[in-house]
């Protein structure tokens, strides 16, 4: 939908989907279609020609890098998700760090003090406010029931002229999840998510914008924090990931890192659906590397607004029964 052919206002006729009025969480950020396109936006307005990217990230971030022909230096992280890199800053070179699972905000703050041309990927840390002067992007559907959408903070005053996205054909999985359940909509989720590949940079669609304006952000954050703390209290003794998260952090999931390859499969068999972050890391890094180990062994447990403490206890009971010797 191009801004230049905006249809005339209509009155009467049937009613559109009724949504709650409210405000977006980030009213002053640039609202775009996807996080990867937010990265493309930054790369374009800053004119970078080289990027440092972690091996441990999602492959879709390569889309803008390849499209714009940047040189890409992959860097390693340690087993606590901190960068291990000799970054040589230069005028047209940038360094991307991911706030992994939303529990690396302290590391982000440290890097912001010392790293030139830093870009923060907050796709997994929706609630982590941008730091003044540090280009930062967000991906909305990792935290909320929307089909797409992203926010971009940049201290640059440059703006790109872009059209507006339409999400009409990306809703079926969201509707099925409500009308039936998540499993029923899974195939469509995969298809709709894939339709986000290789799109141009667009403004966030009006429907996604409206949906995001109707969310009770405070409540969603409180539930996530409560569920995270509950899981951590009972699982931290088994968790190889030692967080330096603070009570301000609102994580995406509970990253449970454990040296057991069978656990994830067993949880999925019991219909606790946990993703792999990220399958491409198995192609990008050799077995035995930290990144390979993390991708294989992190079990990202759901903690979002859909769940009560009883659900957390249900997950804990299953994990503990799987961990106890038979
Ligand atoms: C860490 C991270 N950054 C960025 C992205 C890209 O987000 P989007 O799909 O909104 O482009 C993803 C996954 O999709 C991700 O996991």
């Amino acid at each position: 939908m191009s801004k230049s052919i905006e249809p005339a206002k209509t009155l009467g006729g049937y009613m559109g989907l009724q949504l709650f009025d409210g405000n977006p969480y980030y009213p002053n950020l640039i609202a775009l279609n996807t996080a990867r396109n937010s990265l493309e936006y930054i790369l374009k307005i800053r004119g970078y020609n080289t990027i440092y990217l972690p091996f441990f990230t999602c492959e879709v971030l390569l889309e803008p890098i390849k499209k714009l022909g940047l040189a890409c230096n992959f860097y390693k992280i340690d087993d606590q998700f901190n960068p291990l890199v000799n970054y040589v800053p230069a005028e047209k070179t940038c360094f991307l760090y991911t706030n992994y699972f939303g529990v690396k905000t302290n590391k982000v703050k440290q890097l912001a003090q010392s790293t030139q041309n830093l870009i923060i990927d907050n796709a997994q840390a929706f609630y982590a406010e941008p730091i003044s002067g540090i280009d930062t992007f967000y991906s909305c559907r990792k935290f909320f029931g929307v089909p797409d959408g992203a926010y971009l903070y940049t201290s640059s005053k440059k703006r790109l002229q872009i059209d507006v996205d339409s999400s009409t054909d990306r809703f079926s999985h969201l509707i099925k999840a409500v009308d039936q359940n998540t499993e029923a909509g899974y195939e469509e989720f995969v298809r709709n998510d894939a339709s986000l590949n290789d799109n141009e940079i667009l403004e966030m669609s009006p429907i996604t914008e409206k949906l995001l304006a109707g969310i009770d952000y405070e409540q969603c954050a409180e539930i996530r924090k409560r569920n995270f703390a509950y899981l951590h209290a009972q699982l931290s003794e088994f968790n190889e990931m030692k967080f330096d998260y603070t009570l301000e952090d609102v994580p995406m999931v509970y990253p449970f890192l454990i040296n057991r390859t069978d656990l994830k499969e067993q949880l999925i068999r019991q219909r606790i659906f946990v993703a792999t972050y990220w399958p491409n890391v198995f192609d990008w890094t050799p077995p035995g590397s930290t990144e390979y180990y993390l991708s294989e062994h992190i079990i990202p447990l759901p903690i979002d607004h859909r769940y009560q403490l009883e659900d957390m206890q249900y997950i804990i009971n299953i994990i503990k029964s799987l961990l106890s010797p038979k």
Side-chain angles (χ1 to χ4, degrees):
M1 194 202 305
S2 162
K3 270 195 244 173
S4 54
I5 53 162
E6 220 165 278
K9 184 179 172 105
T10 58
L11 296 169
Y14 74 90
M15 293 182 202
L17 183 68
Q18 194 151 354
L19 299 164
F20 289 107
D21 280 336
N23 297 308
Y25 192 73
Y26 288 119
N28 300 321
L29 302 197
I30 304 170
L32 298 171
N33 52 343
T34 57
R36 67 200 85 167
N37 287 349
S38 307
L39 175 60
E40 183 177 341
Y41 198 112
I42 297 169
L43 300 178
K44 276 187 163 166
I45 60 173
R46 298 286 190 192
Y48 292 132
N49 59 25
T50 304
I51 186 166
Y52 282 67
L53 194 77
F55 280 111
F56 190 63
T57 195
C58 179
E59 66 184 342
V60 304
L61 288 180
L62 291 185
E63 266 184 35
I65 294 168
K66 286 183 178 162
K67 191 168 163 186
L68 301 177
L70 271 80
C72 186
N73 297 330
F74 283 99
Y75 72 84
K76 292 182 62 59
I77 55 170
D78 66 20
D79 62 359
Q80 298 305 316
F81 304 81
N82 300 314
L84 291 173
V85 61
N86 185 16
Y87 171 50
V88 186
E91 196 193 342
K92 296 283 176 209
T93 300
C94 58
F95 183 91
L96 183 140
Y97 181 69
T98 302
N99 188 340
Y100 292 106
F101 310 109
V103 296
K104 296 302 292 180
T105 304
N106 281 341
K107 191 72 207 171
V108 168
K109 287 181 184 163
Q110 259 179 31
L111 290 171
Q113 299 290 323
S114 59
T115 313
Q116 260 178 42
N117 299 345
L118 178 65
I119 299 172
I120 294 301
D121 177 349
N122 268 347
Q124 299 193 325
F126 183 84
Y127 287 88
E129 302 270 334
I131 297 171
S132 179
I134 309 291
D135 292 347
T136 302
F137 59 83
Y138 301 83
S139 179
C140 305
R141 72 185 189 288
K142 318 281 193 294
F143 278 73
F144 309 107
V146 289
D148 46 41
Y151 288 109
L152 168 63
Y153 164 79
T154 175
S155 56
S156 166
K157 296 280 174 276
K158 274 196 196 161
R159 292 293 175 269
L160 302 175
Q161 282 301 314
I162 50 176
D163 289 338
V164 181
D165 195 12
S166 166
S167 307
T168 309
D169 296 331
R170 287 185 212 121
F171 265 93
S172 53
H173 63 294
L174 296 171
I175 294 167
K176 267 203 179 156
V178 178
D179 247 2
Q180 299 175 42
N181 58 47
T182 309
E183 265 172 300
Y186 184 71
E187 261 178 47
E188 276 147 284
F189 160 70
V190 172
R191 214 172 28 246
N192 291 335
D193 222 52
S195 78
L196 296 172
N197 295 342
D198 300 315
N199 289 317
E200 58 186 318
I201 307 173
L202 295 168
E203 274 182 28
M204 186 185 284
S205 72
I207 179 70
T208 297
E209 201 169 271
K210 270 260 173 206
L211 284 167
L212 287 170
I215 289 171
D216 183 339
Y217 288 100
E218 212 171 298
Q219 189 189 39
C220 288
E222 284 312 312
I223 295 172
R224 279 181 181 277
K225 282 164 43 164
R226 179 200 67 193
N227 289 344
F228 185 96
Y230 194 84
L231 288 183
H232 195 49
Q234 296 200 54
L235 294 179
S236 59
E237 63 179 299
F238 309 104
N239 196 347
E240 292 170 22
M241 185 174 178
K242 304 297 170 209
F243 312 109
D244 50 0
Y245 83 106
T246 70
L247 289 178
E248 280 166 46
D249 290 333
V250 184
M252 179 177 78
V253 289
Y254 181 74
F256 185 48
L257 178 59
I258 186 161
N259 192 4
R260 284 273 300 256
T261 40
D262 58 317
L263 209 56
K264 187 183 271 187
E265 208 177 293
Q266 306 241 37
L267 287 172
I268 293 172
R269 223 177 282 148
Q270 306 216 35
R271 303 176 74 232
I272 297 173
F273 299 117
V274 286
T276 294
Y277 297 108
W278 288 266
N280 51 284
V281 174
F282 299 126
D283 298 327
W284 290 5
T285 64
S289 68
T290 303
E291 289 80 2
Y292 198 102
Y293 180 84
L294 295 175
S295 287
E296 202 172 21
H297 294 96
I298 290 170
I299 303 175
L301 299 172
I303 54 163
D304 58 74
H305 50 266
R306 292 172 289 179
Y307 304 117
Q308 313 292 323
L309 288 183
E310 300 87 85
D311 300 311
M312 297 300 103
Q313 192 57 52
Y314 177 73
I315 293 174
I316 290 165
N317 291 347
I318 290 183
I319 288 178
K320 287 194 171 165
S321 76
L322 291 171
L323 291 180
S324 62
K326 295 276 170 329

